């Protein structure tokens, strides 16, 4: 139990809400900045789209590894 | 000395850009010629029996499957819908073409799924990427599930598109000289394509012309996409930048414009998969973008419809408008309704959660959508 008076507690709540709003706004700005940076790298993602069939090899290898480790776990 | 080198380099870049734009115009010309060739080939091959030739697809579910599988194989809904425009111009009944165009929407999402598999080694990234990839498919499947039965029963898309097509297509009998610019411009290319196959006997010449048209459309759509990407990647980035921090409508608009710029909804929706995989964009931010891609991709079929002149022009434009209206209606009905809006996200997120736990769910999903669903649809189609 704090020693703050009722008015002090209300004031403290208002201050915390303002701080939270400010922090959320800053977080929003950070996220938007990251999104802008990611968009600037769009050219790399075009390459990813063009080499999409190579992902099947990666996926297949990962699947085989999981099966192998699952079998080893069971035995 | 340095300044003149810079000016020379700038001039060189501008000349190169002009050359690329000329190439784009040439490719669009070839696209229109190819669509016309498919129409001519279909007319030639089927004669007055177009309906009989496609009678196997007279059941809307089977027509849906044809559109789905063709697009999944070619990985381009723009190509398939352009082919459908050509076939309609050649006599394919609209009632068969409409479910085919709907199926093309579903088939196009395989690309983004394949891109998401590249993140498979990182669990959280894979989950986010796979969800971003499958939200598009979930939306398209839901759209067909809701709108196809309504279309079969009441034909709202067919009716609305016919009204607009008749309004938009100018009546050549009204013009004083009965002069059709498109017909004149496309005649040389059409004659060359016809001449390449005319030596074949009977129905074979028509079928060969169809095959040639399809191959040409596929070539053109692929090449145009790559060239426009070179020319407009800066613009595409600007559009995406402008949508950051804004609401879903901005997301839809940017998805639409970007897809028009790169001429491929597969590319647009696949591009955002890595962005979502890294967690920079959430699935809720990616979702409206994929809806915009659905609208943007309809531009190719609308463009293809301009190749058709004469009495079939209205039908060709009609099917292109059906594709557009279907995607707009799907957004209004699903995204516009609070109850339905989050269903694709719910499906995608749960599928991704399962896929992260066990990769076999990925195989089950791909097999389910592209093999089991078509087989079930064909089975139901035969029973009904």
């Amino acid at each position: 139990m704090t020693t703050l008076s009722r008015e002090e507690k209300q004031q403290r709540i208002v201050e915390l809400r303002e701080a939270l709003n400010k922090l959320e706004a800053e977080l929003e700005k950070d996220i938007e900045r990251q999104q802008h940076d990611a968009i600037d790298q769009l050219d790399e993602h075009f390459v990813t789209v063009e080499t999409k069939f190579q992902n099947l090899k990666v996926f297949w290898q990962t699947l085989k590894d999981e099966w192998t480790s699952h079998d080893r776990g069971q035995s | 000395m340095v300044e003149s080198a810079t000016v020379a380099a700038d001039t060189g870049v501008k000349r190169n850009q002009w050359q690329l734009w000329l190439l784009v115009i040439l490719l669009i010309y070839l696209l229109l010629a190819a669509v016309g060739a498919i129409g001519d080939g279909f007319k030639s091959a089927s004669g007055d029996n177009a309906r009989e030739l496609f009678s196997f697809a007279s059941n809307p579910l089977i027509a849906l499957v044809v559109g789905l599988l063709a697009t999944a194989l070619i990985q381009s809904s723009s190509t398939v819908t352009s082919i459908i425009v050509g076939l309609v111009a050649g006599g394919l009944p609209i009632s068969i073409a409409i479910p085919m165009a709907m199926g093309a929407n579903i088939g196009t999402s395989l690309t983004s799924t394949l891109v998401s598999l590249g993140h498979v080694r990182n669990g959280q990234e894979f989950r986010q990427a796979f969800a971003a990839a499958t939200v598009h498919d979930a939306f398209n499947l839901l759209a067909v599930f809701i709108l196809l039965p309504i279309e079969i029963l009441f034909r709202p898309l067919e009716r609305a598109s016919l009204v607009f097509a008749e309004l938009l297509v100018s009546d050549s009998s009204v013009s004083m000289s009965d002069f059709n610019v498109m017909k004149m411009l496309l005649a040389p290319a059409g004659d060359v394509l016809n001449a390449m196959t005319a030596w074949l006997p009977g129905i074979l010449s028509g079928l060969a012309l169809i095959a040639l048209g399809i191959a040409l459309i596929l070539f053109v759509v692929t090449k145009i996409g790559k060239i426009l990407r070179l020319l407009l990647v800066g613009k595409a980035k600007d559009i995406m930048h402008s949508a950051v921090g804004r609401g879903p409508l901005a997301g839809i608009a940017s998805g639409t414009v970007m897809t028009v710029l790169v001429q491929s909804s597969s590319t647009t929706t696949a591009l955002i998969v890595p962005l979502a995989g890294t967690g920079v964009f959430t699935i809720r931010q990616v979702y409206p973008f994929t809806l915009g891609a659905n609208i943007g991709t309809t531009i190719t079929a609308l463009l293809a419809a301009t190749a058709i002149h004469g009495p079939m022009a209205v039908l060709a434009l009609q099917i292109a408008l059906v594709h557009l209206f279907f995607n707009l209606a799907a957004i209004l009905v699903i995204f516009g309704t609070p109850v339905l809006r989050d269903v694709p996200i719910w499906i995608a997120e749960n599928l991704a959660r399962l896929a992260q736990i066990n990769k076999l769910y990925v195989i089950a999903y791909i097999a389910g959508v592209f093999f089991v669903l078509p087989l079930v649809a064909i089975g139901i189609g035969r029973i009904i």
Side-chain angles (χ1 to χ4, degrees):
Chain A
M1 201 75 165
T2 64
T3 55
L4 296 173
S5 68
R6 181 183 157 180
E7 289 77 18
E8 283 169 339
K9 283 178 188 170
Q10 282 174 339
Q11 180 59 30
R12 186 89 177 105
I13 287 169
V14 167
E15 285 167 8
L16 283 171
R17 279 210 183 106
E18 278 175 12
L20 190 60
N21 289 340
K22 192 177 165 193
L23 209 54
E24 280 177 347
E26 282 175 19
L27 178 63
E28 197 58 43
K29 280 199 167 40
D30 286 344
I31 291 171
E32 284 180 19
R33 204 175 305 122
Q34 278 184 335
Q35 290 176 345
H36 284 297
D37 289 343
I39 290 167
D40 284 333
Q41 310 301 319
L42 208 61
D43 303 69
E44 294 171 15
H45 301 315
F46 272 116
V47 174
T48 309
V49 174
E50 284 175 1
T51 56
K52 56 188 178 286
F53 289 108
Q54 289 178 12
N55 294 338
L56 282 171
K57 283 188 208 168
V58 173
F59 176 73
W60 183 242
Q61 190 56 49
T62 308
L63 197 59
K64 279 195 328 189
D65 292 343
E66 278 187 9
W67 273 338
T68 312
S69 60
H70 178 69
D71 283 344
R72 279 203 199 118
Q74 280 191 330
S75 61
Chain B
M1 188 84 161
V2 173
E3 277 178 12
S4 60
T6 310
V7 166
D10 279 349
T11 310
V13 165
K14 281 181 184 153
R15 192 182 308 126
N16 196 33
Q17 284 194 333
W18 273 112
Q19 286 170 347
L20 288 174
W21 276 116
L22 279 173
L23 194 51
V24 167
I25 292 168
L26 176 64
L27 288 169
I28 291 173
Y29 177 77
L30 289 176
L31 172 72
L32 300 182
V35 170
I38 289 175
D40 291 341
F42 194 60
K43 256 185 259 176
S44 165
S46 64
D48 293 326
N49 304 317
R51 188 171 283 276
E52 281 71 30
L53 197 67
F54 266 84
S55 60
F56 71 92
S58 58
N59 185 293
L61 290 177
I62 295 177
L64 180 81
V65 166
V66 169
L68 189 163
L69 291 178
T71 309
L73 274 170
I74 297 174
Q75 276 304 292
S76 170
S77 59
S78 303
T79 302
V80 171
T81 50
S82 299
I83 292 168
I84 293 172
V85 167
L87 292 174
V88 166
L92 177 71
I94 280 275
S95 57
I96 294 176
I98 290 174
M100 268 189 203
M102 290 183 179
N105 252 33
I106 300 171
T108 196
S109 64
L110 189 57
T111 306
S112 47
T113 305
L114 291 174
V115 169
S116 73
L117 298 184
H119 296 263
V120 71
R121 290 209 164 113
N122 181 315
Q124 183 59 22
E125 261 192 35
F126 175 61
R127 181 173 169 164
Q128 287 163 174
F130 194 68
T134 51
V135 72
H136 188 209
D137 218 8
F139 176 87
N140 289 333
L141 282 165
L142 186 61
V144 168
F145 186 72
I146 295 172
L147 294 178
L148 181 58
I150 295 173
E151 180 62 22
I152 292 168
L153 289 171
F154 306 110
R155 306 195 339 255
L157 295 173
E158 188 178 333
R159 293 179 210 267
S161 58
L162 181 60
V163 167
F164 278 86
E166 283 175 342
L167 276 172
L168 291 168
V169 170
S170 59
D171 186 354
S172 62
S173 65
V174 173
S175 80
M176 292 176 67
S177 61
D178 202 20
F179 179 68
N180 189 300
V181 174
M182 287 304 296
K183 187 176 174 181
M184 185 198 74
L185 286 172
L186 293 172
D191 290 343
V192 167
L193 291 170
N194 270 294
M196 286 167 76
T197 58
W199 57 275
L200 288 164
I203 194 176
L204 284 178
S205 101
L207 292 174
L209 193 52
I210 293 171
L212 188 59
I214 290 172
L216 192 52
I217 289 178
L218 191 51
F219 168 77
V220 164
V221 169
T222 308
K223 282 290 172 214
I224 267 188
K226 287 187 176 161
I227 294 171
L228 286 177
R229 207 190 78 201
L230 280 173
L231 288 167
L232 298 170
V233 66
K235 281 272 181 294
K237 286 184 190 177
D238 290 343
I239 285 156
M240 288 187 77
H241 279 303
S242 66
V244 167
R246 295 175 187 232
L249 287 178
I252 292 174
S254 67
T256 302
V257 176
M258 186 142 165
T259 304
V260 170
L261 291 180
V262 301
Q263 279 297 295
S264 171
S265 59
S266 312
T267 301
T268 313
T269 51
L271 272 177
I272 51 173
V273 165
L275 297 177
T278 51
V280 171
F281 285 87
T282 64
I283 191 172
R284 285 183 183 281
Q285 289 169 324
V286 150
Y287 178 32
F289 191 82
T290 64
L291 304 188
N294 274 0
I295 302 174
T297 197
T298 62
I299 198 83
T300 316
L302 288 165
L303 188 60
T306 63
I308 309 301
H309 42 81
M312 303 308 277
V314 169
L315 288 173
L317 184 58
Q318 184 184 5
I319 188 61
L321 286 172
V322 163
H323 191 212
L324 172 63
F325 290 173
F326 166 65
N327 282 299
L328 286 172
I331 291 173
L332 278 169
V333 167
I334 298 172
F335 196 77
T337 313
V339 166
L340 292 176
R341 184 181 305 151
D342 286 352
V343 171
I345 292 179
W346 182 86
I347 293 172
E349 283 181 335
N350 280 287
L351 190 57
R353 180 179 54 80
L354 291 170
Q356 185 187 8
I357 297 167
N358 191 332
K359 305 298 175 288
L360 284 175
Y361 281 103
V362 175
I363 296 176
Y365 159 71
I366 294 175
V369 172
F370 298 103
F371 291 98
V372 173
L373 181 67
L375 287 173
V376 167
I378 289 170
I380 294 173
R382 284 182 185 274
I383 295 167
I384 297 172

